[in-house]
């Protein structure tokens, strides 16, 4: 029997693949890192081989998608505990810095997006602030000074990661130690 072509203007039905948020995030991360920050939700839907409205079912807009992507990628920060062997604020800050740079270096375009859009980095900033607070515990910092120092360190680490330097690079330790001396003074 001969297959009947679809009516003009309609495409043959595509095989249905189960669309889930994790699948969307993986495709978005790939598209972001390969195409840059200007990808569209339609391009993402094309990459997933679904109707664009299917993506909007899970993420109401591109900002919400990028925020979920940042939260997903940097979720390890929320789970991270500073090792007991890191007993001083200096060694704890080094640990936090290296962990953050490893994550940021793995997704440079996502790091660029976070630097540009405070809404996208909101969840990541909360995880980082918790870790930073644990790292500087024992230093006589007020809440306002700790927030400023954490933001300075996060900006430094983002720049470090975007420069393409590995988390093990000597200048990372030197920069963190410089910040620590200022905090401890």
């Amino acid at each position: 029997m001969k297959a009947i072509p679809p009516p003009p203007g309609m495409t043959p039905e595509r095989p249905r693949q189960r669309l889930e948020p994790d699948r969307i995030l993986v495709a978005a991360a790939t598209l972001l890192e390969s195409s840059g920050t200007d990808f569209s939700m339609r391009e993402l839907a094309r990459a997933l081989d679904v109707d664009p409205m299917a993506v909007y079912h899970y993420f109401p807009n591109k900002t919400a998608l990028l925020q979920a992507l940042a939260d997903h990628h940097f979720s390890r920060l929320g789970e991270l505990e500073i090792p007991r062997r890191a007993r001083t604020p200096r060694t704890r800050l080094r640990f936090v810095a290296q962990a953050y740079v490893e994550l940021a270096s793995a997704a440079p375009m996502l790091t660029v997006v976070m630097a540009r859009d405070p809404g996208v980095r909101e969840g990541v900033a909360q995880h980082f602030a918790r870790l930073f607070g644990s790292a500087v515990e024992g230093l006589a910092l007020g809440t306002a000074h700790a927030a400023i120092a954490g933001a300075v360190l996060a900006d430094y680490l983002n720049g470090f990661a975007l420069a393409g330097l590995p988390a093990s690079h000597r200048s990372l330790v030197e920069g963190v130690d410089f910040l620590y001396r200022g905090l401890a003074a």
Side-chain angles (χ1 to χ4, degrees):
M1 187 182 261
K2 193 173 180 184
I4 300 172
M10 294 190 70
T11 58
E13 214 174 291
R14 298 180 200 168
R16 301 279 183 219
Q17 292 184 14
R18 186 164 173 86
L19 189 62
E20 296 177 352
D22 283 349
R23 186 168 159 241
I24 296 170
L25 293 176
V26 168
T30 302
L31 192 58
L32 177 64
E33 294 304 326
S34 65
S35 300
T37 60
D38 293 333
F39 77 90
S40 70
M41 295 292 268
R42 285 191 176 282
E43 287 176 274
L44 176 59
R46 247 188 321 275
L48 289 163
D49 197 25
V50 299
D51 185 86
M53 292 314 294
V55 176
Y56 284 107
H57 174 75
Y58 293 97
F59 302 100
N61 54 47
K62 187 175 172 182
T63 300
L65 170 72
L66 292 171
Q67 186 174 22
L69 183 58
D71 290 347
H72 178 76
H73 182 77
F74 284 89
S75 64
R76 182 171 164 233
L77 287 179
E79 302 160 0
L80 202 59
E81 295 295 327
I82 297 174
R84 292 180 192 256
R85 72 180 188 283
R87 296 186 182 165
T88 67
R90 181 187 304 236
T91 57
R92 292 191 300 257
L93 277 172
R94 287 177 180 175
F95 173 80
V96 169
Q98 288 175 327
Y100 185 88
V101 167
E102 285 173 7
L103 289 169
S105 296
M109 290 309 299
L110 181 58
T111 303
V112 168
V113 168
M114 289 184 352
R116 289 181 184 166
D117 189 340
V120 170
R121 69 175 175 261
E122 194 173 295
V124 176
Q126 290 173 1
H127 294 313
F128 185 80
R130 181 192 64 80
L131 274 176
F132 180 78
S134 295
V136 297
E137 195 173 291
L139 295 178
L141 297 177
T143 306
H145 287 126
I148 292 168
V152 167
L153 179 60
D155 285 347
Y156 172 70
L157 298 177
N158 284 330
F160 194 90
L162 291 174
L165 298 171
S168 59
H169 197 274
R170 180 178 47 88
S171 63
L172 177 65
V173 172
E174 291 171 354
V176 170
D177 286 353
F178 180 79
L179 177 65
Y180 168 75
R181 285 191 301 275
L183 295 173

